[in-house]
Amino acid sequence: MPTYPTYKFTDIASLIRGVSYDKSVVSTSEREGYIPILRANNIQNSLVLNDLVYVPNDFVKEEQMIRKGDIVLAMSSGSKDLVGKSAQANSDLDAAFGTFCGLIRAKENVDSKFLGLYFQTQEYRNFVSYQSKGVNICNLKKKDIESLQIPLPPLPTQQAIVARIESLFAELDKAAEHLRTAQQQLKTYRQAVLNHWLNNEDGKWETVNLGEVAEIVTGNTPPKKDLSLYGNDYPFYKPSDLNAGINTIHSEDNVSIKGFNASRKLPKGSILVTCIGATIGKTGLIHREGICNQQINAILPNDSFVPECLFYIVTSDSFQRQIKSNASATTLPILNKSKFSDLELSLPPLTEQHRIVKEIESRLSQATASETYIENALQQAEALRQSILKKAFSGELNL
């Protein structure tokens, strides 16, 4: 099998930094003489052109306008899940990108689609993970990207690889689409169950603020690169560990209490909610005492609430809408502790809460099993996708 030569990033592409602008000039709607700006939350599997902000033309350089084949990269974010994430423009866009993003533009004799595939590989993801490990602020530096060494075959081979991968990925995408459709149907069913059993339209239950029925605990800032604090007794929960709709979570990262605020150690039964970034509102219920990071607000129910019942309320559509509508920021959604405490919910009597939990869980047990099966199947599809990419960049892909 051939082994492709590697080239330094700067020999085959350029990295352009995003548009800097003052919040005072930002418009949240289209205006004449303004240009739409993409931010980290617009980088999904493709570039998502909604929830945009707009800045005056004068703030944008010509090279910052997004062109077909350009790769938009999240350089900084409140969520480590987003840092390093990339998506490619399929056409010229009358849009630019913000200061927390970067744009990768291929040079001559480099197929832009081939280059874009590299930024989907596990090798690149591992690089991003290494660069941001143990760092409080989730970011990539320009020099980090420019230090990359990227395998690059001759242009005709690049193009042949792209064609082969697009064919293989089309089959995977079709299978994944069916799985995600089933996944969405289960989410709809789950919400229908929650809406039925948590329905308070007739006002039979008291309406309270979250802070009246629970203590709100903010997460800990991870210690900077002090690996001696890791690998001990307590799970360290992060937004990536949370999964709204599943009533148990775990973390693969363990820490010692040393270096953390001990008063923020969370008992089992705590409900964790992401309070910043693109995954705001992501929720989980912990069954093991632990610590969470600063992107999470922890809800510690008092004696008036059964933790499982409060968890189901927090994952309901109505409460999730409150989280998102009360978040504030122009570049990054943030829900502070005060606003979080003021969110409203219904307080059923304790005997009713136990009955609600029993009824909900009896109806959702099969849905949870199906969700787990679908999630595993999607993970297997992603593993196969990564296997194809690995073969492509090592010269082992059959063309």
PDB file of all heavy atoms in Angstrom, residues 109-134:
ATOM      1  N   ASN A 109      -3.366  23.046  -6.243  1.00  0.00           N
ATOM      2  CA  ASN A 109      -3.029  21.617  -6.299  1.00  0.00           C
ATOM      3  C   ASN A 109      -3.456  20.847  -5.044  1.00  0.00           C
ATOM      4  O   ASN A 109      -2.965  19.752  -4.773  1.00  0.00           O
ATOM      5  CB  ASN A 109      -1.534  21.390  -6.557  1.00  0.00           C
ATOM      6  CG  ASN A 109      -1.115  21.831  -7.951  1.00  0.00           C
ATOM      7  OD1 ASN A 109      -1.880  21.652  -8.912  1.00  0.00           O
ATOM      8  ND2 ASN A 109       0.057  22.424  -8.066  1.00  0.00           N
ATOM      9  N   VAL A 110      -4.365  21.454  -4.287  1.00  0.00           N
ATOM     10  CA  VAL A 110      -4.960  20.755  -3.141  1.00  0.00           C
ATOM     11  C   VAL A 110      -6.475  20.751  -3.349  1.00  0.00           C
ATOM     12  O   VAL A 110      -7.088  21.802  -3.510  1.00  0.00           O
ATOM     13  CB  VAL A 110      -4.618  21.446  -1.812  1.00  0.00           C
ATOM     14  CG1 VAL A 110      -5.298  20.723  -0.641  1.00  0.00           C
ATOM     15  CG2 VAL A 110      -3.110  21.484  -1.598  1.00  0.00           C
ATOM     16  N   ASP A 111      -7.048  19.553  -3.379  1.00  0.00           N
ATOM     17  CA  ASP A 111      -8.498  19.438  -3.504  1.00  0.00           C
ATOM     18  C   ASP A 111      -9.139  19.851  -2.181  1.00  0.00           C
ATOM     19  O   ASP A 111      -8.858  19.260  -1.137  1.00  0.00           O
ATOM     20  CB  ASP A 111      -8.881  17.998  -3.860  1.00  0.00           C
ATOM     21  CG  ASP A 111     -10.359  17.858  -4.159  1.00  0.00           C
ATOM     22  OD1 ASP A 111     -11.150  17.834  -3.197  1.00  0.00           O
ATOM     23  OD2 ASP A 111     -10.732  17.765  -5.337  1.00  0.00           O
ATOM     24  N   SER A 112      -9.983  20.872  -2.218  1.00  0.00           N
ATOM     25  CA  SER A 112     -10.544  21.405  -0.975  1.00  0.00           C
ATOM     26  C   SER A 112     -11.386  20.364  -0.244  1.00  0.00           C
ATOM     27  O   SER A 112     -11.401  20.323   0.999  1.00  0.00           O
ATOM     28  CB  SER A 112     -11.376  22.663  -1.259  1.00  0.00           C
ATOM     29  OG  SER A 112     -12.448  22.375  -2.134  1.00  0.00           O
ATOM     30  N   LYS A 113     -12.080  19.502  -0.969  1.00  0.00           N
ATOM     31  CA  LYS A 113     -12.881  18.461  -0.329  1.00  0.00           C
ATOM     32  C   LYS A 113     -11.987  17.443   0.372  1.00  0.00           C
ATOM     33  O   LYS A 113     -12.318  16.964   1.465  1.00  0.00           O
ATOM     34  CB  LYS A 113     -13.779  17.766  -1.345  1.00  0.00           C
ATOM     35  CG  LYS A 113     -14.953  18.601  -1.822  1.00  0.00           C
ATOM     36  CD  LYS A 113     -15.879  17.798  -2.703  1.00  0.00           C
ATOM     37  CE  LYS A 113     -17.103  18.599  -3.111  1.00  0.00           C
ATOM     38  NZ  LYS A 113     -18.016  17.801  -3.971  1.00  0.00           N
ATOM     39  N   PHE A 114     -10.863  17.118  -0.254  1.00  0.00           N
ATOM     40  CA  PHE A 114      -9.918  16.196   0.371  1.00  0.00           C
ATOM     41  C   PHE A 114      -9.393  16.793   1.671  1.00  0.00           C
ATOM     42  O   PHE A 114      -9.325  16.118   2.702  1.00  0.00           O
ATOM     43  CB  PHE A 114      -8.762  15.901  -0.589  1.00  0.00           C
ATOM     44  CG  PHE A 114      -7.739  14.947  -0.031  1.00  0.00           C
ATOM     45  CD1 PHE A 114      -7.916  13.580  -0.131  1.00  0.00           C
ATOM     46  CD2 PHE A 114      -6.596  15.422   0.601  1.00  0.00           C
ATOM     47  CE1 PHE A 114      -6.980  12.697   0.397  1.00  0.00           C
ATOM     48  CE2 PHE A 114      -5.655  14.556   1.131  1.00  0.00           C
ATOM     49  CZ  PHE A 114      -5.849  13.182   1.024  1.00  0.00           C
ATOM     50  N   LEU A 115      -9.039  18.073   1.617  1.00  0.00           N
ATOM     51  CA  LEU A 115      -8.547  18.748   2.822  1.00  0.00           C
ATOM     52  C   LEU A 115      -9.636  18.779   3.898  1.00  0.00           C
ATOM     53  O   LEU A 115      -9.363  18.564   5.082  1.00  0.00           O
ATOM     54  CB  LEU A 115      -8.092  20.163   2.481  1.00  0.00           C
ATOM     55  CG  LEU A 115      -7.445  20.954   3.618  1.00  0.00           C
ATOM     56  CD1 LEU A 115      -6.186  20.253   4.126  1.00  0.00           C
ATOM     57  CD2 LEU A 115      -7.106  22.375   3.155  1.00  0.00           C
ATOM     58  N   GLY A 116     -10.868  19.031   3.467  1.00  0.00           N
ATOM     59  CA  GLY A 116     -11.974  19.057   4.423  1.00  0.00           C
ATOM     60  C   GLY A 116     -12.160  17.725   5.127  1.00  0.00           C
ATOM     61  O   GLY A 116     -12.501  17.685   6.316  1.00  0.00           O
ATOM     62  N   LEU A 117     -11.917  16.629   4.425  1.00  0.00           N
ATOM     63  CA  LEU A 117     -12.038  15.298   5.030  1.00  0.00           C
ATOM     64  C   LEU A 117     -11.017  15.087   6.138  1.00  0.00           C
ATOM     65  O   LEU A 117     -11.298  14.413   7.134  1.00  0.00           O
ATOM     66  CB  LEU A 117     -11.888  14.209   3.963  1.00  0.00           C
ATOM     67  CG  LEU A 117     -13.051  14.076   2.977  1.00  0.00           C
ATOM     68  CD1 LEU A 117     -12.671  13.127   1.838  1.00  0.00           C
ATOM     69  CD2 LEU A 117     -14.307  13.578   3.685  1.00  0.00           C
ATOM     70  N   TYR A 118      -9.834  15.659   5.973  1.00  0.00           N
ATOM     71  CA  TYR A 118      -8.815  15.507   7.018  1.00  0.00           C
ATOM     72  C   TYR A 118      -9.327  16.057   8.348  1.00  0.00           C
ATOM     73  O   TYR A 118      -9.059  15.494   9.411  1.00  0.00           O
ATOM     74  CB  TYR A 118      -7.520  16.219   6.635  1.00  0.00           C
ATOM     75  CG  TYR A 118      -6.506  16.181   7.767  1.00  0.00           C
ATOM     76  CD1 TYR A 118      -5.736  15.044   7.994  1.00  0.00           C
ATOM     77  CD2 TYR A 118      -6.374  17.262   8.637  1.00  0.00           C
ATOM     78  CE1 TYR A 118      -4.849  14.992   9.063  1.00  0.00           C
ATOM     79  CE2 TYR A 118      -5.484  17.218   9.705  1.00  0.00           C
ATOM     80  CZ  TYR A 118      -4.724  16.089   9.907  1.00  0.00           C
ATOM     81  OH  TYR A 118      -3.863  16.024  10.979  1.00  0.00           O
ATOM     82  N   PHE A 119     -10.084  17.159   8.292  1.00  0.00           N
ATOM     83  CA  PHE A 119     -10.560  17.795   9.516  1.00  0.00           C
ATOM     84  C   PHE A 119     -11.783  17.090  10.114  1.00  0.00           C
ATOM     85  O   PHE A 119     -12.392  17.586  11.059  1.00  0.00           O
ATOM     86  CB  PHE A 119     -10.819  19.279   9.276  1.00  0.00           C
ATOM     87  CG  PHE A 119      -9.541  20.052   9.106  1.00  0.00           C
ATOM     88  CD1 PHE A 119      -8.979  20.245   7.846  1.00  0.00           C
ATOM     89  CD2 PHE A 119      -8.866  20.543  10.208  1.00  0.00           C
ATOM     90  CE1 PHE A 119      -7.781  20.925   7.695  1.00  0.00           C
ATOM     91  CE2 PHE A 119      -7.670  21.231  10.073  1.00  0.00           C
ATOM     92  CZ  PHE A 119      -7.116  21.414   8.815  1.00  0.00           C
ATOM     93  N   GLN A 120     -12.106  15.915   9.544  1.00  0.00           N
ATOM     94  CA  GLN A 120     -13.118  15.034  10.138  1.00  0.00           C
ATOM     95  C   GLN A 120     -12.491  13.779  10.731  1.00  0.00           C
ATOM     96  O   GLN A 120     -13.193  12.954  11.319  1.00  0.00           O
ATOM     97  CB  GLN A 120     -14.146  14.621   9.064  1.00  0.00           C
ATOM     98  CG  GLN A 120     -14.817  15.770   8.338  1.00  0.00           C
ATOM     99  CD  GLN A 120     -15.605  16.683   9.265  1.00  0.00           C
ATOM    100  OE1 GLN A 120     -16.231  16.225  10.202  1.00  0.00           O
ATOM    101  NE2 GLN A 120     -15.575  17.992   8.985  1.00  0.00           N
ATOM    102  N   THR A 121     -11.176  13.620  10.604  1.00  0.00           N
ATOM    103  CA  THR A 121     -10.527  12.375  11.027  1.00  0.00           C
ATOM    104  C   THR A 121     -10.338  12.313  12.540  1.00  0.00           C
ATOM    105  O   THR A 121     -10.274  13.336  13.224  1.00  0.00           O
ATOM    106  CB  THR A 121      -9.147  12.217  10.367  1.00  0.00           C
ATOM    107  OG1 THR A 121      -8.287  13.286  10.811  1.00  0.00           O
ATOM    108  CG2 THR A 121      -9.249  12.250   8.844  1.00  0.00           C
ATOM    109  N   GLN A 122     -10.198  11.085  13.042  1.00  0.00           N
ATOM    110  CA  GLN A 122      -9.927  10.893  14.464  1.00  0.00           C
ATOM    111  C   GLN A 122      -8.549  11.432  14.826  1.00  0.00           C
ATOM    112  O   GLN A 122      -8.342  11.935  15.937  1.00  0.00           O
ATOM    113  CB  GLN A 122     -10.013   9.403  14.824  1.00  0.00           C
ATOM    114  CG  GLN A 122      -9.979   9.127  16.321  1.00  0.00           C
ATOM    115  CD  GLN A 122     -11.131   9.785  17.061  1.00  0.00           C
ATOM    116  OE1 GLN A 122     -12.286   9.651  16.669  1.00  0.00           O
ATOM    117  NE2 GLN A 122     -10.822  10.493  18.141  1.00  0.00           N
ATOM    118  N   GLU A 123      -7.619  11.330  13.908  1.00  0.00           N
ATOM    119  CA  GLU A 123      -6.274  11.870  14.149  1.00  0.00           C
ATOM    120  C   GLU A 123      -6.347  13.364  14.461  1.00  0.00           C
ATOM    121  O   GLU A 123      -5.713  13.847  15.410  1.00  0.00           O
ATOM    122  CB  GLU A 123      -5.378  11.637  12.935  1.00  0.00           C
ATOM    123  CG  GLU A 123      -3.964  12.184  13.123  1.00  0.00           C
ATOM    124  CD  GLU A 123      -3.097  12.009  11.880  1.00  0.00           C
ATOM    125  OE1 GLU A 123      -3.636  11.571  10.843  1.00  0.00           O
ATOM    126  OE2 GLU A 123      -1.904  12.320  11.955  1.00  0.00           O
ATOM    127  N   TYR A 124      -7.130  14.085  13.676  1.00  0.00           N
ATOM    128  CA  TYR A 124      -7.290  15.524  13.933  1.00  0.00           C
ATOM    129  C   TYR A 124      -8.016  15.769  15.254  1.00  0.00           C
ATOM    130  O   TYR A 124      -7.623  16.633  16.038  1.00  0.00           O
ATOM    131  CB  TYR A 124      -8.053  16.175  12.779  1.00  0.00           C
ATOM    132  CG  TYR A 124      -8.561  17.555  13.106  1.00  0.00           C
ATOM    133  CD1 TYR A 124      -7.677  18.617  13.257  1.00  0.00           C
ATOM    134  CD2 TYR A 124      -9.927  17.778  13.306  1.00  0.00           C
ATOM    135  CE1 TYR A 124      -8.143  19.886  13.589  1.00  0.00           C
ATOM    136  CE2 TYR A 124     -10.388  19.041  13.638  1.00  0.00           C
ATOM    137  CZ  TYR A 124      -9.495  20.085  13.787  1.00  0.00           C
ATOM    138  OH  TYR A 124      -9.958  21.328  14.116  1.00  0.00           O
ATOM    139  N   ARG A 125      -9.052  14.981  15.545  1.00  0.00           N
ATOM    140  CA  ARG A 125      -9.786  15.153  16.801  1.00  0.00           C
ATOM    141  C   ARG A 125      -8.878  14.889  17.999  1.00  0.00           C
ATOM    142  O   ARG A 125      -8.964  15.571  19.024  1.00  0.00           O
ATOM    143  CB  ARG A 125     -10.991  14.209  16.837  1.00  0.00           C
ATOM    144  CG  ARG A 125     -12.065  14.554  15.818  1.00  0.00           C
ATOM    145  CD  ARG A 125     -13.226  13.600  15.879  1.00  0.00           C
ATOM    146  NE  ARG A 125     -14.190  13.844  14.828  1.00  0.00           N
ATOM    147  CZ  ARG A 125     -15.277  13.101  14.627  1.00  0.00           C
ATOM    148  NH1 ARG A 125     -15.527  12.076  15.429  1.00  0.00           N
ATOM    149  NH2 ARG A 125     -16.111  13.380  13.649  1.00  0.00           N
ATOM    150  N   ASN A 126      -8.022  13.894  17.880  1.00  0.00           N
ATOM    151  CA  ASN A 126      -7.072  13.611  18.958  1.00  0.00           C
ATOM    152  C   ASN A 126      -6.119  14.778  19.162  1.00  0.00           C
ATOM    153  O   ASN A 126      -5.754  15.112  20.299  1.00  0.00           O
ATOM    154  CB  ASN A 126      -6.276  12.344  18.642  1.00  0.00           C
ATOM    155  CG  ASN A 126      -7.130  11.086  18.687  1.00  0.00           C
ATOM    156  OD1 ASN A 126      -8.227  11.084  19.243  1.00  0.00           O
ATOM    157  ND2 ASN A 126      -6.646  10.020  18.074  1.00  0.00           N
ATOM    158  N   PHE A 127      -5.722  15.399  18.060  1.00  0.00           N
ATOM    159  CA  PHE A 127      -4.851  16.577  18.120  1.00  0.00           C
ATOM    160  C   PHE A 127      -5.544  17.710  18.879  1.00  0.00           C
ATOM    161  O   PHE A 127      -4.953  18.336  19.766  1.00  0.00           O
ATOM    162  CB  PHE A 127      -4.494  17.020  16.694  1.00  0.00           C
ATOM    163  CG  PHE A 127      -3.849  18.374  16.602  1.00  0.00           C
ATOM    164  CD1 PHE A 127      -2.491  18.527  16.821  1.00  0.00           C
ATOM    165  CD2 PHE A 127      -4.604  19.500  16.292  1.00  0.00           C
ATOM    166  CE1 PHE A 127      -1.890  19.778  16.742  1.00  0.00           C
ATOM    167  CE2 PHE A 127      -4.020  20.751  16.202  1.00  0.00           C
ATOM    168  CZ  PHE A 127      -2.662  20.885  16.429  1.00  0.00           C
ATOM    169  N   VAL A 128      -6.806  17.949  18.563  1.00  0.00           N
ATOM    170  CA  VAL A 128      -7.572  19.006  19.239  1.00  0.00           C
ATOM    171  C   VAL A 128      -7.697  18.697  20.723  1.00  0.00           C
ATOM    172  O   VAL A 128      -7.505  19.567  21.579  1.00  0.00           O
ATOM    173  CB  VAL A 128      -8.971  19.162  18.602  1.00  0.00           C
ATOM    174  CG1 VAL A 128      -9.840  20.094  19.436  1.00  0.00           C
ATOM    175  CG2 VAL A 128      -8.859  19.678  17.180  1.00  0.00           C
ATOM    176  N   SER A 129      -8.006  17.448  21.039  1.00  0.00           N
ATOM    177  CA  SER A 129      -8.165  17.043  22.434  1.00  0.00           C
ATOM    178  C   SER A 129      -6.871  17.260  23.216  1.00  0.00           C
ATOM    179  O   SER A 129      -6.885  17.740  24.349  1.00  0.00           O
ATOM    180  CB  SER A 129      -8.589  15.576  22.505  1.00  0.00           C
ATOM    181  OG  SER A 129      -8.702  15.147  23.838  1.00  0.00           O
ATOM    182  N   TYR A 130      -5.753  16.929  22.592  1.00  0.00           N
ATOM    183  CA  TYR A 130      -4.463  17.093  23.257  1.00  0.00           C
ATOM    184  C   TYR A 130      -4.160  18.568  23.500  1.00  0.00           C
ATOM    185  O   TYR A 130      -3.679  18.950  24.564  1.00  0.00           O
ATOM    186  CB  TYR A 130      -3.356  16.465  22.413  1.00  0.00           C
ATOM    187  CG  TYR A 130      -1.968  16.688  22.984  1.00  0.00           C
ATOM    188  CD1 TYR A 130      -1.504  15.894  24.032  1.00  0.00           C
ATOM    189  CD2 TYR A 130      -1.143  17.696  22.490  1.00  0.00           C
ATOM    190  CE1 TYR A 130      -0.246  16.099  24.567  1.00  0.00           C
ATOM    191  CE2 TYR A 130       0.117  17.910  23.022  1.00  0.00           C
ATOM    192  CZ  TYR A 130       0.568  17.107  24.057  1.00  0.00           C
ATOM    193  OH  TYR A 130       1.810  17.320  24.590  1.00  0.00           O
ATOM    194  N   GLN A 131      -4.450  19.402  22.504  1.00  0.00           N
ATOM    195  CA  GLN A 131      -4.133  20.824  22.615  1.00  0.00           C
ATOM    196  C   GLN A 131      -4.950  21.507  23.708  1.00  0.00           C
ATOM    197  O   GLN A 131      -4.488  22.474  24.324  1.00  0.00           O
ATOM    198  CB  GLN A 131      -4.379  21.538  21.277  1.00  0.00           C
ATOM    199  CG  GLN A 131      -3.438  21.099  20.164  1.00  0.00           C
ATOM    200  CD  GLN A 131      -1.981  21.392  20.464  1.00  0.00           C
ATOM    201  OE1 GLN A 131      -1.665  22.368  21.114  1.00  0.00           O
ATOM    202  NE2 GLN A 131      -1.084  20.533  19.998  1.00  0.00           N
ATOM    203  N   SER A 132      -6.169  21.011  23.969  1.00  0.00           N
ATOM    204  CA  SER A 132      -7.042  21.685  24.937  1.00  0.00           C
ATOM    205  C   SER A 132      -7.119  20.956  26.272  1.00  0.00           C
ATOM    206  O   SER A 132      -7.856  21.368  27.159  1.00  0.00           O
ATOM    207  CB  SER A 132      -8.460  21.807  24.349  1.00  0.00           C
ATOM    208  OG  SER A 132      -8.997  20.530  24.054  1.00  0.00           O
ATOM    209  N   LYS A 133      -6.354  19.891  26.448  1.00  0.00           N
ATOM    210  CA  LYS A 133      -6.442  19.092  27.670  1.00  0.00           C
ATOM    211  C   LYS A 133      -6.032  19.904  28.892  1.00  0.00           C
ATOM    212  O   LYS A 133      -4.966  20.492  28.939  1.00  0.00           O
ATOM    213  CB  LYS A 133      -5.543  17.854  27.562  1.00  0.00           C
ATOM    214  CG  LYS A 133      -5.737  16.857  28.706  1.00  0.00           C
ATOM    215  CD  LYS A 133      -4.967  15.585  28.455  1.00  0.00           C
ATOM    216  CE  LYS A 133      -5.214  14.568  29.546  1.00  0.00           C
ATOM    217  NZ  LYS A 133      -4.487  13.297  29.308  1.00  0.00           N
ATOM    218  N   GLY A 134      -6.908  19.890  29.900  1.00  0.00           N
ATOM    219  CA  GLY A 134      -6.602  20.531  31.171  1.00  0.00           C
ATOM    220  C   GLY A 134      -6.597  22.044  31.139  1.00  0.00           C
ATOM    221  O   GLY A 134      -6.170  22.690  32.075  1.00  0.00           O
TER     222      GLY A 134
END
